[in-house]
Amino acid sequence: MTDANVGGRVTIYDVASKAGVSTATASKALNDTGRMAAETRARIRRVAEELGFRPNALARSLTSKRSFTVGLLTDDIYGRFTLPVMAGVSEGLIDQGVSVFLCSVGGDPALARIHLDAMLDKQVDGIIATGKRVDRPLPIDFSAVPVPVVYVLTEGPAEAITLVPDERQGAREAVRHLIQRGCRRIAHITGPEHFLVVRERALSYRQTLEAAGLKVPAADVLYGTWSEHWGHEAVARLWSFDERPDGIFCGNDQIARGVMDALRERGVAIPHDVAVVGFDNWEIVAEETRPPLTTIDMNLKELGRQAGLTLVRLVNGEEIEKGLLQLPCKLVVRSS
């Protein structure tokens, strides 16, 4: 940093002075425009990095007609799914100098319209629409929005780009893990059957058992609510059968926590007598169960990161294949 700017912001003038070039040449080098020797461009960028130069967002927006902000609109009022997605979006865009503007709309179309109008008034470069169900759209139509829109964990139109976890692959990882542990009677306790993710995971559960030469238990899939209470109740139902499971795949971590409480009440050792795998990797739940819960992580942060990078590419005018993009889930092994 030059003496004139000690304690202040490093400017393009400082970079130009240190590199021995004009401010116009420095600006072209840092914005990857203009014609100059590759060695000169590299030297200017090296100087900028050494000085800790950060381009002024307003100045860039004036020259590129961009605001360097994106809007993130969600109906997930509690942030269970949105906050990890937003963390990924922010992480993916930080090197682009882009900020994220978050609005929660619940299921209110009027509120969604107000927030959308506010985003457009702020001249966001693009919008990420995200939610808590992949089979339900947000309560607003984005078709006439004059900026690119990317959808994450919510239903988007066929001509859009929509990013979701690979639910079948995640369920397959869960069941395979139980099989590898030696489980042969594996039950599946999950949420409401009208949820698409529930049906996808249940289908994969059955297919994975069949591929391993194992039969689907007489109880088949137990559908219920996304709650600890249902997990507790489902175990009581399973224990009313003559053949009891030695492995249980749960549709989410809350159900798994209820299942494990019910098993302990019956004197069942986890995982020695019955192994349990959840879904979500909601750490505040999974890490505090006893024993800590093995579960499937939906990689929500990575979904957000990819959504942010995809939006930037759309804003920059790149051609990207439209449709549904499924990102893999991962197994997080703990002690259950």
Side-chain angles (χ1 to χ4, degrees), residues 249-321:
F249 167 39
C250 300
N252 77 350
D253 294 346
Q254 288 171 283
I255 292 173
R257 189 165 182 166
V259 163
M260 292 167 71
D261 285 345
L263 291 174
R264 279 197 304 272
E265 289 174 7
R266 287 166 171 77
V268 177
I270 308 169
H272 183 268
D273 297 330
V274 178
V276 180
V277 176
F279 207 106
D280 285 350
N281 194 32
W282 191 3
E283 293 181 355
I284 195 172
V285 174
E287 293 181 350
E288 296 303 318
T289 58
R290 292 293 175 264
L293 179 65
T294 293
T295 184
I296 298 296
D297 191 313
M298 294 190 293
N299 277 336
L300 298 181
K301 190 174 181 181
E302 180 62 16
L303 274 175
R305 194 178 78 86
Q306 291 298 331
L309 294 175
T310 299
L311 188 62
V312 166
R313 292 176 62 193
L314 290 173
V315 170
N316 288 337
E318 295 183 37
E319 286 293 327
I320 302 178
E321 185 177 353

Side-chain angles (χ1 to χ4, degrees), residues 11-75:
T11 69
I12 189 70
Y13 303 101
D14 300 310
V15 175
S17 176
K18 182 73 178 291
V21 297
S22 68
T23 54
T25 299
S27 178
K28 290 175 183 177
L30 296 176
N31 288 297
D32 202 23
T33 60
R35 298 177 63 181
M36 69 185 70
E39 181 183 345
T40 301
R41 193 183 300 275
R43 176 166 53 85
I44 294 169
R45 289 182 173 180
R46 185 172 62 251
V47 168
E49 185 176 352
E50 290 171 355
L51 293 177
F53 173 72
R54 292 176 59 83
N56 181 277
L58 177 60
R60 286 188 299 162
S61 66
L62 290 174
T63 57
S64 65
K65 297 183 180 180
R66 286 181 54 185
S67 66
F68 288 88
T69 61
V70 300
L72 193 148
L73 206 66
T74 181
D75 66 352

Side-chain angles (χ1 to χ4, degrees), residues 187-193 195 197-199 201-202 221-227 230-231 234 248-252 255 259 279:
H188 184 31
I189 303 172
T190 188
E193 190 174 6
F195 277 64
V197 296
V198 168
R199 299 194 300 273
R201 295 170 194 172
V221 177
L222 277 67
Y223 299 102
T225 60
W226 300 113
S227 67
W230 164 236
I248 301 177
F249 167 39
C250 300
N252 77 350
I255 292 173
V259 163
F279 207 106

